[in-house]
C-alpha cells in the first residue's frame, strides 16, 4: 500500500451517506481525524492528509460534512446551531464507524470550532486547531461578504463544482449562517472552558478571516495545556500555504501523545 493512497471508509449518519477516507498508519496509536473548513471537503485538504500521515506515522482520517464533497445533503436547513449539531450529534455517531476512539482532532476554521466543542464534552487525546473561530469578528463577516460576491459572480462556484456534488448547498449552508444578523452574538468561549485535552493552536499571521484574538481567547479559556504557532505571511490556510512549519508543529505535538 502506498503511503499516499487513501482508503475509502463508507459511513452513514442519520441514514445519510458520509464521504470518508483513511490514509494508513500505526493502528496502535490514536488516529488523526480532520474536520474541514466552511467550504471544504475531503478533496480540498489536497496533499495535507498524506503528508500528515507521513510526518506522524499515524492513521489520518478525513470526511466531508453533509452538503459537502460527495456526502449526502444536509438533513435540515442549517442554522447557527449546526456547529453544536456537528460536534455533539454527528461526530459521536461517525467516529466509531471510523475506528477512531479518543482521536486527535485536527480542525480547520469552522472545523476547528466543531472540534473544540466536541472535545469540551467528549474524550479526545488532543486537538490541533488551525484558524479556529470562537466568536464573530467584523473582519470575518466582511470577508465572507466579499466571498459571496465572488460566488455570485460565478467564478468561485465553478471552482467549487469540481469538489462538491451540490456547490450551492455547500456555499450557502456556510455563508447564510455567518451572515445571519443573529449570528453576530455567537460564541463558544463557554464551551471552550470545558477543554482539558492538550491543544495546538495554529494561525496565519495574515488571516483575512480572523485575528490572533481567536487563539488568544482559546488559550485564556481552556483548562488544558496549550501550544501556539503563528505562521507569518500565511493567510487562512497555513497548512496549505506554509505546510512545512505546520506539519512540523503537529508532528512534534502528537509525538508526546498516545
Amino acid at each position: 500500500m502506498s503511503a499516499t493512497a487513501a482508503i475509502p471508509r463508507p459511513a452513514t449518519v442519520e441514514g445519510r451517506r458520509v464521504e470518508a477516507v483513511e490514509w494508513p498508519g500505526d493502528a496502535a496509536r490514536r488516529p488523526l481525524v480532520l474536520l474541514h473548513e466552511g467550504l471544504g471537503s475531503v478533496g480540498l485538504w489536497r496533499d495535507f492528509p498524506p503528508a500528515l500521515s507521513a510526518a506522524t506515522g499515524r492513521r489520518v482520517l478525513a470526511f466531508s460534512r453533509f452538503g459537502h464533497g460527495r456526502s449526502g445533503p444536509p438533513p435540515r436547513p442549517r442554522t447557527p446551531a449546526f456547529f453544536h449539531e456537528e460536534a455533539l450529534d454527528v461526530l459521536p455517531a461517525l467516529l466509531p464507524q471510523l475506528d477512531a476512539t479518543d482521536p486527535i482532532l485536527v480542525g480547520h476554521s469552522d472545523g476547528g470550532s466543531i472540534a473544540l466543542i466536541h472535545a469540551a464534552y467528549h474524550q479526545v487525546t488532543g486537538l490541533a486547531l488551525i484558524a479556529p473561530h470562537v466568536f464573530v469578528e467584523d473582519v470575518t463577516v466582511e470577508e465572507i461578504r466579499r466571498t459571496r460576491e465572488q460566488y455570485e459572480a460565478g467564478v468561485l462556484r465553478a471552482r467549487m463544482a469540481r469538489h462538491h456534488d451540490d456547490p450551492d448547498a455547500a456555499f450557502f449552508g456556510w455563508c447564510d449562517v455567518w451572515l445571519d444578523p443573529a449570528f453576530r452574538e455567537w460564541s463558544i468561549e463557554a464551551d471552550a472552558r470545558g477543554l482539558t485535552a492538550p491543544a495546538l493552536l495554529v494561525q496565519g499571521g495574515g488571516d483575512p478571516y480572523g485575528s490572533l484574538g481567536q487563539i488568544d481567547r482559546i488559550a485564556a479559556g481552556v483548562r488544558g495545556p496549550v501550544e501556539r504557532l503563528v505562521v507569518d505571511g500565511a493567510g487562512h490556510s497555513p497548512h496549505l500555504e506554509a505546510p512545512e512549519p505546520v506539519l512540523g508543529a503537529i508532528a512534534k505535538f502528537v509525538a508526546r501523545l498516545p
Side-chain angles (χ1 to χ4, degrees):
M1 175 69 66
S2 167
T4 60
I7 302 169
R9 293 294 306 261
T12 58
V13 174
E14 296 186 38
R16 293 171 182 261
R17 178 173 57 87
V18 175
E19 177 190 26
V21 298
E22 174 179 340
W23 287 264
D26 186 350
R29 308 194 75 187
R30 299 292 188 232
L32 296 138
V33 177
L34 307 184
L35 283 75
H36 63 73
E37 47 108 357
L39 298 181
S41 67
V42 164
L44 284 166
W45 285 104
R46 304 193 188 280
D47 294 332
F48 182 69
L52 187 60
S53 178
T56 63
R58 295 175 186 252
R59 298 166 57 223
V60 173
L61 297 128
F63 70 96
S64 299
R65 293 194 292 274
F66 292 129
H68 293 256
R70 312 306 171 201
S71 288
R76 61 193 70 86
R78 275 204 191 139
T79 72
F82 100 91
F83 288 90
H84 285 80
E85 292 167 357
E86 291 287 340
L88 304 179
D89 299 333
V90 176
L91 267 184
L94 178 63
L95 292 174
Q97 298 180 59
L98 304 180
D99 302 313
T101 303
D102 299 346
I104 300 165
L105 298 179
V106 181
H108 176 214
S109 192
D110 285 14
S113 306
I114 292 165
L116 182 57
I117 297 169
H118 178 85
Y121 300 98
H122 293 272
Q123 180 68 35
V124 301
T125 297
L127 287 175
L129 305 179
I130 304 169
H133 302 283
V134 290
F135 66 102
V136 179
E137 297 182 274
D138 290 343
V139 294
T140 311
V141 174
E142 290 307 311
E143 190 65 21
I144 290 172
R145 284 202 182 102
R146 283 191 286 271
T147 304
R148 182 177 64 184
E149 291 171 2
Q150 295 174 18
Y151 190 85
E152 291 173 342
V155 177
L156 178 56
R157 188 185 190 282
R159 292 205 308 267
M160 287 186 59
R162 296 196 294 267
H163 300 281
H164 302 282
D165 286 344
D166 187 343
D168 289 343
F171 184 83
F172 290 108
W174 165 74
C175 172
D176 289 352
V177 167
W178 275 97
L179 296 183
D180 183 340
F183 193 59
R184 294 303 293 265
E185 304 304 316
W186 176 86
S187 170
I188 58 170
E189 291 180 78
D191 300 279
R193 288 194 285 272
L195 180 67
T196 58
L200 170 66
L201 309 178
V202 179
Q203 188 86 15
D207 188 347
Y209 284 96
S211 73
L212 295 178
Q214 298 287 344
I215 62 174
D216 288 343
R217 296 260 191 111
I218 296 172
V222 302
R223 292 184 287 150
V226 173
E227 300 174 36
R228 294 165 51 124
L229 171 67
V230 177
V231 185
D232 292 336
H236 192 56
S237 300
H239 59 295
L240 302 180
E241 299 165 44
E244 289 187 7
V246 177
L247 287 166
I250 295 176
K252 183 179 178 182
F253 173 69
V254 304
R256 299 189 292 272
L257 301 176

